[in-house]
Amino acid sequence: MEERLAYHSQFVTVRTPAIETLARQVRTLMILGRHQRATARPSLIVTGPATTGKTTALLQVGRTCHLAHTRRATPGDDSVPVAYVLVPPGATAKTLAGEFARYLGIPVAARMTTAQITTAVCHTYTAAGIKLVLIDEIHRLNPRTSTGAEAADWLKDLTERVPATFVYAGIDVTASAVFTGVRGAQLAGRASLIDCGALPARAGDREPFRELITALEAALDLTAHRPGTLPRLAPYLHERTAGRIGSLARLIRQAAIEAILDGQERITKRLLDGIALDHLAEEHYRPRTPTRRTR
């Protein structure tokens, strides 16, 4: 039982349309920038509301790149193809440089200047063979402040000194401070945008949300669950989660864990109804209560 609980806690990553688009564009841009030397390579920005799968898409593409490198690597190849860095709250040039250093275990002393940390980061990332840099929570960067402007300038400098493709992810980036002013224009002029919004119930002849539910259900490890149960609940699940991938995945994972713990080994609508989701999803979903008729 413990193994199955752990499995549903981690669960699987389903390739959503956003992941497919991101993977294709990252592959293209990595080839495009492979021999570019003069300026920073073209980059990508994954944007959208909270809980719509931006970080999941970012990490999945990173895993794909890492696995592809591992398959091609020769014995003794200890290069590191992918880096993943979170922008810290209130990022300054020095704290951002410190996060990049920490990812590869580059020792940073308190007395070191930003320039010294930057030199170490650029040298180590280049020597390690980093080809893809994933930067999450980019909306925390605020070029409107003096420290945020320094951090934005530092990041721009890094993209020109490290021979890698940079991919950013953040909440509603186009509406944030990241795209404002001269520095925002520089980023917008180099980056393509991938919108990782909520999945619609229907898109033309397809039903992408139902397709996602079907894929998630196929990955369940429950002894009494009947295939097709969750896709039939697609309208309810879409209303419940507002089409947000993160909310849907959490709901199904929690339901699977509860189904194992209480012994029923299947997911029902009653079980789903009893699970409290994230505040965004709960604010969206308002269960209808029957109104009493007055005589």
Side-chain angles (χ1 to χ4, degrees), residues 96-159:
L96 190 54
E99 289 299 310
F100 275 84
R102 190 160 62 90
Y103 181 80
L104 283 187
I106 302 168
V108 175
R111 65 180 181 277
M112 290 177 69
T113 65
T114 303
Q116 289 172 327
I117 301 173
T118 303
T119 298
V121 166
C122 292
H123 171 77
T124 307
Y125 273 57
T126 302
I130 296 286
K131 295 291 182 271
L132 179 63
V133 178
L134 309 174
I135 304 175
D136 209 351
E137 308 287 353
I138 191 64
H139 59 272
R140 291 176 174 174
L141 201 62
N142 186 4
R144 292 175 180 170
T145 67
S146 59
T147 55
E150 290 174 359
D153 287 342
W154 182 88
L155 192 54
K156 176 179 177 292
D157 182 48
L158 187 74
T159 64

Side-chain angles (χ1 to χ4, degrees), residues 185-269:
Q186 288 177 330
L187 178 60
R190 291 175 173 175
S192 302
L193 209 64
I194 295 177
D195 195 352
C196 199
L199 278 181
R202 183 177 292 277
D205 295 331
R206 293 185 59 193
E207 296 182 68
F209 194 74
R210 190 186 298 270
E211 292 168 8
L212 177 61
I213 294 169
T214 302
L216 289 170
E217 185 184 65
L220 291 172
D221 188 7
L222 299 173
T223 58
H225 186 82
R226 293 183 179 180
T229 300
L230 295 184
R232 283 193 292 271
L233 294 174
Y236 158 76
L237 290 170
H238 195 272
E239 183 182 2
R240 183 77 196 276
T241 64
R244 293 187 176 95
I245 298 169
S247 299
L248 175 68
R250 174 178 168 179
L251 180 60
I252 292 178
R253 286 164 55 209
Q254 284 189 229
I257 289 171
E258 290 197 20
I260 293 172
L261 291 175
D262 65 19
Q264 65 176 303
E265 293 285 343
R266 62 194 180 98
I267 297 177
T268 63
K269 186 174 182 293

